[in-house]
Amino acid sequence: MWASLSQGCYWVCMRRRSRTLRAWLVILFFTLHLLLVLMVLSMNQSPCESLSNPDTQASISVSIHNASTSVSEAATAGSDITEEEIKGAAEDLAKLFALFSHPLYNLPTPPVPDSDWLLKVRTKTKEELHSTQQLLSANENGYDPVQWNSSTETHPPWLRFHLGISRWQMYGHKDHNLPMLIQQLAAHRIVSAVQKSGGTQLKLVMSFPNYGQALFKPMKQERDEETNVNLYYFSDFERHNAEISAFHLDRILGFRRMPPVIGRLVNVIKEIKDITTDHKLVTTFFTSPAGNWCFHGQCSYYCSTEHAICGRPHMIEGSMAAMLPDLSLAPRRSWRSPWRRSYSRSKLALWETDSNYCDSVKTTPPYDQGTRLVDLIDMSILDFLMSNMDRHHYETFEKFGNDTFLIHLDNGRAFGRYSRDEPSILAPLEQCCRVRRSTLLRLRLLSLPPYRLSDVMRGSLSRDPLASVAPLLTEPHLSALDRRLATVIQTIHECLQQHQWHSDVIYDDITDYNG
């Protein structure tokens, strides 16, 4: 009997050692394969396309770490990770880095004039700085003492992000601050959590010790769930993985008009209930019959016991989006989209019945001059690719007037369906037949096998912390991106044929590019 027990223990230990060894071998293989691919890429690139800039190097190291962690967790959990999957993950990341090193993403840009920065640092006097530090240090529990001055070296990442917003983009392509900001959103200690007022669904404002803030949208449904076919777009859930994926897609398209977003696991009790000063929010917490901690907050839709946000048992995943500067510092203007839907179960909007609708839009300010119309068409392409029908308004920074980019906010209702495309989202492009040359060239680039959109999206999303739990987008959603991209390119081609390749179709914003 003792001999048989001893033998059983021996085989259990051997199986455990074998599983651990397999996990480490998988990690080692993945890391070496990725480094080899990157080495080959760097040798084939010209000096001006080098991958040696700090932002790319930081991205590479974070990618290897996150991907290795994901592989390790999956392997130790006993899942079967094939050599093909490891190789595929390395190739996806290599395609992403190659895309961001392409000349189209590294066009020379003139220096930004002082008037084109959203915010400037005002140098405080010693008395002002001292009094501010005393006030904040004395009155804010859990926050770090303020030690900033006019030097950007002392600024926390969220403040550098705010100071880096310019007239034409939310952040630069090679913004060295972006990895640091994303890292803090993912891991910085939360010292306050309150429900954000307004909106139709629950979201929280999270505060960090360095006075940074993020907008948290908790998980409401599983990633592989499609939106119910009988549900109207204005009644759909907001999805945390849609907010995360939208940020990655916006960056891959070269727009950079969306605040950084990353996924994070949050403790419902320690990081929300125990630290919130929102008394109304506290009253909505309860324990479910399954023993999970839940809460529902107070909002217009889906804020009830039947639609509660529940942890497993107390951990909940969600999206963390960097907050924009306070409206008192950088006011924003809200614009009603000309292609806004009726938000009615029975009525259609004017643009849905009038094929010449764009003719009137083109003669209406601010769409009658500048880049506003092609900006709106860029946004419609983004929305079509991720199947977002809920774009009723958009915002701009007031400081820049009509000559500025459109802020791509509120993307929680994107990526709801993969089995069906919504052609009406492309109405601005189809009716106006106008598109930026830079946008068209990037779309064509993303349709080529070396930079395939689904592959670079998969690679980009693999760097998010929640990718270790499950892919942010399922394979059907990624395949839908390629299908929709082909539709966009075909629509532009039809516009060119319809207008006999007239130059009015292409808005040439990169006249010095010969690609």
Side-chain angles (χ1 to χ4, degrees):
M1 175 179 169
W2 288 109
S4 61
L5 281 174
S6 176
Q7 188 176 12
C9 290
Y10 170 78
W11 286 113
V12 168
C13 291
M14 287 296 292
R15 279 197 296 271
R16 286 178 180 172
R17 289 176 184 173
S18 174
R19 183 188 298 174
T20 304
L21 180 62
R22 183 178 65 171
W24 281 108
L25 286 173
V26 165
I27 295 169
L28 180 62
F29 178 88
F30 179 87
T31 305
L32 290 175
H33 187 90
L34 180 57
L35 289 173
L36 179 63
V37 171
L38 292 175
M39 190 181 300
V40 172
L41 278 173
S42 63
M43 287 190 294
N44 291 335
Q45 288 176 341
S46 61
C48 65
E49 298 175 32
S50 173
L51 287 174
S52 62
N53 69 77
D55 181 48
T56 308
Q57 289 293 348
S59 298
I60 292 172
S61 61
V62 170
S63 300
I64 294 174
H65 171 74
N66 286 353
S68 300
T69 302
S70 302
V71 171
S72 173
E73 290 177 356
T76 52
S79 63
D80 296 322
I81 302 173
T82 66
E83 186 177 328
E84 258 183 53
E85 290 172 330
I86 298 169
K87 183 180 178 182
E91 288 175 350
D92 290 341
L93 283 170
K95 286 183 179 181
L96 178 69
F97 299 140
L99 178 75
F100 285 157
S101 298
H102 191 278
L104 262 176
Y105 289 78
N106 295 275
L107 296 171
T109 54
V112 180
D114 284 347
S115 59
D116 279 4
W117 293 110
L118 180 64
L119 298 173
K120 294 180 183 178
V121 176
R122 181 176 71 86
T123 305
K124 290 186 175 183
T125 64
K126 288 184 179 179
E127 292 75 15
E128 286 179 321
L129 186 60
H130 181 67
S131 63
T132 302
Q133 287 183 352
Q134 281 187 329
L135 176 66
L136 294 175
S137 299
N139 295 339
E140 303 285 356
N141 291 328
Y143 290 86
D144 295 334
V146 174
Q147 296 177 341
W148 325 327
N149 53 42
S150 58
S151 171
T152 55
E153 298 299 320
T154 67
H155 298 159
W158 66 265
L159 183 53
R160 294 188 194 185
F161 163 58
H162 289 177
L163 294 171
I165 299 173
S166 67
R167 181 183 293 274
W168 299 114
Q169 59 185 6
M170 196 71 74
Y171 54 90
H173 174 56
K174 295 180 179 179
D175 186 349
H176 302 159
N177 178 60
L178 193 61
M180 291 185 287
L181 174 62
I182 288 176
Q183 178 63 28
Q184 288 212 345
L185 290 173
H188 221 36
R189 181 169 57 90
I190 299 170
V191 298
S192 172
V194 296
Q195 184 170 348
K196 188 178 187 300
S197 59
T200 59
Q201 299 187 39
L202 176 70
K203 45 192 174 290
L204 304 175
V205 175
M206 304 296 210
S207 298
F208 304 116
N210 62 3
Y211 296 92
Q213 290 187 320
L215 187 65
F216 180 74
K217 289 190 177 182
M219 178 178 180
K220 289 189 174 71
Q221 64 184 54
E222 300 297 331
R223 292 165 174 72
D224 57 354
E225 279 187 72
E226 271 202 286
T227 298
N228 189 308
V229 293
N230 295 312
L231 199 64
Y232 286 95
Y233 55 89
F234 48 83
S235 300
D236 196 8
F237 285 117
E238 290 187 355
R239 288 168 283 276
H240 71 301
N241 63 312
E243 291 285 0
I244 300 166
S245 303
F247 163 67
H248 286 259
L249 181 59
D250 180 79
R251 191 182 184 198
I252 285 171
L253 292 172
F255 294 153
R256 297 187 295 278
R257 301 167 196 167
M258 198 177 294
V261 186
I262 196 165
R264 177 166 176 166
L265 280 169
V266 170
N267 189 306
V268 173
I269 302 303
K270 295 180 180 179
E271 295 180 301
I272 301 178
K273 183 177 181 291
D274 288 352
I275 62 174
T276 186
T277 55
D278 189 334
H279 302 297
K280 291 183 178 179
L281 178 64
V282 170
T283 61
T284 68
F285 280 80
F286 64 94
T287 307
S288 75
N292 296 322
W293 274 98
C294 308
F295 67 103
H296 55 74
Q298 298 180 1
C299 58
S300 304
Y301 287 91
Y302 305 126
C303 281
S304 62
T305 306
E306 293 78 16
H307 299 101
I309 308 298
C310 294
R312 298 179 181 176
H314 52 267
M315 299 301 293
I316 182 75
E317 60 181 74
S319 63
M320 282 280 197
M323 295 285 281
L324 292 175
D326 191 88
L327 292 174
S328 62
L329 297 174
R332 302 193 298 271
R333 179 172 176 180
S334 179
W335 303 78
R336 179 172 171 145
S337 171
W339 280 271
R340 180 185 186 272
R341 297 177 184 278
S342 65
Y343 285 78
S344 166
R345 294 177 178 84
S346 56
K347 294 180 181 179
L348 294 177
L350 182 59
W351 60 267
E352 293 179 278
T353 59
D354 182 5
S355 58
N356 298 317
Y357 178 76
C358 187
D359 293 340
S360 62
V361 174
K362 287 178 179 178
T363 60
T364 305
Y367 306 100
D368 58 343
Q369 58 183 341
T371 63
R372 182 60 63 90
L373 184 59
V374 288
D375 287 338
L376 196 68
I377 290 170
D378 277 349
M379 189 164 62
S380 73
I381 291 172
L382 171 70
D383 285 335
F384 176 74
L385 290 173
M386 58 187 186
S387 195
N388 178 25
M389 299 174 67
D390 190 37
R391 189 72 71 184
H392 45 84
H393 286 78
Y394 62 86
E395 293 185 6
T396 59
F397 290 109
E398 277 189 7
K399 175 181 178 178
F400 303 129
N402 294 333
D403 297 321
T404 186
F405 69 96
L406 314 187
I407 306 172
H408 297 166
L409 290 176
D410 294 333
N411 304 283
R413 283 178 171 149
F415 295 106
R417 291 191 189 129
Y418 51 77
S419 57
R420 180 177 180 274
D421 301 338
E422 182 51 57
S424 64
I425 302 174
L426 273 185
L429 174 61
E430 290 179 332
Q431 294 177 2
C432 299
C433 275
R434 190 94 164 123
V435 69
R436 268 192 171 92
R437 181 170 176 244
S438 60
T439 299
L440 174 57
L441 291 176
R442 290 193 193 103
L443 293 174
R444 285 175 174 169
L445 188 68
L446 290 165
S447 69
L448 302 176
Y451 310 99
R452 184 179 289 112
L453 179 56
S454 59
D455 293 340
V456 294
M457 269 293 283
R458 188 185 299 106
S460 188
L461 290 171
S462 71
R463 301 185 295 176
D464 190 274
L466 292 184
S468 62
V469 179
L472 271 301
L473 286 182
T474 60
E475 286 303 312
H477 275 298
L478 293 169
S479 298
L481 281 173
D482 292 332
R483 182 180 70 238
R484 291 165 186 161
L485 176 61
T487 300
V488 175
I489 294 174
Q490 178 61 28
T491 302
I492 297 172
H493 183 71
E494 289 171 0
C495 279
L496 288 166
Q497 287 185 321
Q498 178 186 339
H499 293 269
Q500 299 181 347
W501 297 86
H502 197 276
S503 59
D504 281 351
V505 176
I506 305 298
Y507 177 82
D508 197 352
D509 59 330
I510 48 171
T511 53
D512 56 343
Y513 180 73
N514 299 318

